[in-house]
Amino acid sequence: ALHFPQKLWKLVESHQFRSIWWSADGKCVAINEGLFKEEVLGSGGPQRVFGMNSMKSFLRQMNLYGFTKHRQDFHRSASLPDFLAEEEAASAHSQILYYYNPSFQRDHPHLLASCKRR
């Protein structure tokens, strides 16, 4: 049986789900919380990835394995119309959670071996 980090890795790498992906630099996992609840935690049967169905339990596992929540910083523009457009884009991203773990990075699956439960 695979441990939580290996399951999470397969999930992020699979492209089967729209709710979870690598950040642009490949150092963080990005999760669309609402969609993730529905798509990953809500599915049963053979589609079931984790033995949990609540976001709270999933995030507890993330914390147990040393993942830390990261804020994505949006660079602000000087002009008011640009600023307002960016604010709208940023609020659309507010449901996106970013988690970082130095042992969990795209293109470095060998690091998973050091991704241990606390």
Side-chain angles (χ1 to χ4, degrees):
L2 296 175
H3 294 290
F4 180 82
Q6 286 90 356
K7 288 180 183 179
L8 186 62
W9 178 273
K10 286 189 127 175
L11 200 66
V12 182
E13 287 284 305
S14 77
H15 305 295
Q16 183 185 348
F17 301 98
R18 293 174 305 139
S19 59
I20 187 166
W21 62 93
W22 291 109
S23 61
D25 64 3
K27 293 183 190 293
C28 288
V29 175
I31 302 168
N32 177 319
E33 188 177 359
L35 190 56
F36 186 80
K37 284 180 192 173
E38 181 186 312
E39 204 178 48
V40 178
L41 300 176
S43 66
Q47 284 286 80
R48 193 161 183 83
V49 180
F50 302 107
M52 64 194 79
N53 56 12
S54 81
M55 198 66 188
K56 189 176 178 182
S57 298
F58 174 77
L59 296 177
R60 189 179 303 119
Q61 285 294 315
M62 294 286 279
N63 290 326
L64 281 171
Y65 280 94
F67 284 84
T68 53
K69 193 171 182 179
H70 262 283
R71 269 182 33 78
Q72 284 297 98
D73 293 320
F74 290 93
H75 300 289
R76 302 293 182 208
S77 297
S79 75
L80 185 60
D82 287 348
F83 177 77
L84 293 173
E86 285 170 12
E87 279 295 300
E88 195 175 332
S91 70
H93 283 84
S94 66
Q95 234 195 341
I96 308 293
L97 308 173
Y98 293 91
Y99 281 88
Y100 170 78
N101 182 321
S103 300
F104 198 91
Q105 297 183 24
R106 183 180 59 210
D107 304 326
H108 299 285
H110 61 280
L111 293 174
L112 278 177
S114 57
C115 194
K116 303 266 189 246
R117 192 177 171 132
R118 289 181 184 163

